[in-house]
Amino acid sequence: MKRIKFTFTVIACLLTACAPVMTNSNPQRKLDSEITRLDSIAIILAEIRALDQGIRDNSSLYFANSRAFNLHTDSLCFSKAIWVIERYGYINDLGKYNDSFGYLLEALPAVLLHNPQRLIEPQTCDLLKREVEAGRLPAEFVATLLDKYYVMKEKRTLYFSGFRKFLQQPYPHKRDQALSDSLRQDLGLPVLPDSLFVY
């Protein structure tokens, strides 16, 4: 009999805990959805960071794996990061998690920087521009992200970002000025001065 009572007590407690809280207060519903949203974002960022940095934190692990494996891991992280940005916008704040887990905010920039070849895909560029327009992403940071591709893959700088240090001078080239002007204006950035461009 005691076991039956105990079992019913446990079941009642579980049902009570799992039952949705009925409230007529819209602010309470909003708070509940925000908490759920924030928890989801923190968990997803933790997953992305663990995968992205997990293969890099241990250099022997990173170099032991094939280049194809590492590129596949970067691509997987990138796809997940883009999904997060599309669903929640670019994440700059983790609310109650900022103090203990603020480092998770580093996940998105790291993953984006690890995949320069995918940043210039039209749908990704459009997404980043929308985030700039929404005020969640600084235009200069997007310019740096995009310039990494041009510096690393095409050996030229179109945004004049810090990645230009990997190029041999002189740079930027005069032949790239019209394209540079167009790309910078597309992000709402001022064009570079004429004096920077060399023949």
Side-chain angles (χ1 to χ4, degrees):
M1 186 67 172
K2 283 185 178 178
R3 290 183 75 178
I4 293 173
K5 274 188 173 179
F6 177 74
T7 303
F8 279 120
T9 304
V10 170
I11 291 171
C13 288
L14 287 172
L15 289 174
T16 303
C18 295
V21 176
M22 298 303 289
T23 176
N24 293 326
S25 168
N26 286 336
Q28 181 61 45
R29 285 186 191 155
K30 185 177 178 186
L31 180 61
D32 290 344
S33 68
E34 282 299 307
I35 291 170
T36 303
R37 175 183 178 275
L38 190 59
D39 293 344
S40 298
I41 290 170
I43 290 168
I44 295 166
L45 290 182
E47 290 172 351
I48 292 171
R49 188 178 189 281
L51 187 55
D52 179 66
Q53 295 301 310
I55 61 168
R56 289 176 167 83
D57 286 346
N58 183 336
S59 59
S60 62
L61 175 67
Y62 185 74
F63 291 113
N65 289 308
S66 69
R67 176 169 169 74
F69 173 83
N70 294 331
L71 289 174
H72 179 73
T73 303
D74 281 347
S75 183
L76 184 66
C77 290
F78 184 85
S79 295
K80 195 148 195 164
I82 293 300
W83 180 87
V84 168
I85 296 169
E86 287 174 338
R87 184 174 179 110
Y88 300 109
Y90 191 85
I91 311 300
N92 292 305
D93 184 26
L94 285 176
K96 65 181 180 180
Y97 294 115
N98 280 336
D99 291 340
S100 300
F101 301 102
Y103 62 88
L104 293 178
L105 293 172
E106 299 167 8
L108 294 181
V111 167
L112 295 176
L113 284 166
H114 291 156
N115 293 271
Q117 71 285 355
R118 295 192 61 188
L119 289 172
I120 61 160
E121 294 171 355
Q123 64 273 21
T124 304
C125 279
D126 290 343
L127 175 64
L128 295 177
K129 280 188 266 185
R130 286 196 302 272
E131 291 303 299
V132 169
E133 289 164 5
R136 290 185 288 264
L137 200 51
E140 283 291 352
F141 178 63
V142 174
T144 299
L145 291 173
L146 297 172
D147 209 32
K148 184 178 182 185
Y149 168 81
Y150 292 107
V151 169
M152 298 303 178
K153 302 296 182 181
E154 297 185 4
K155 307 303 179 194
R156 60 179 177 161
T157 178
L158 296 178
Y159 294 94
F160 206 64
S161 74
F163 284 108
R164 68 183 185 275
K165 67 183 179 184
F166 294 104
L167 297 173
Q168 291 184 345
Q169 292 194 30
Y171 53 73
H173 296 290
K174 190 72 176 173
R175 65 178 176 266
D176 291 329
Q177 186 171 5
L179 180 56
S180 172
D181 288 353
S182 172
L183 291 173
R184 289 181 63 86
Q185 287 174 327
D186 206 26
L187 287 177
L189 292 171
V191 299
L192 298 171
D194 288 344
S195 58
L196 273 182
F197 292 89
V198 293
Y199 288 95

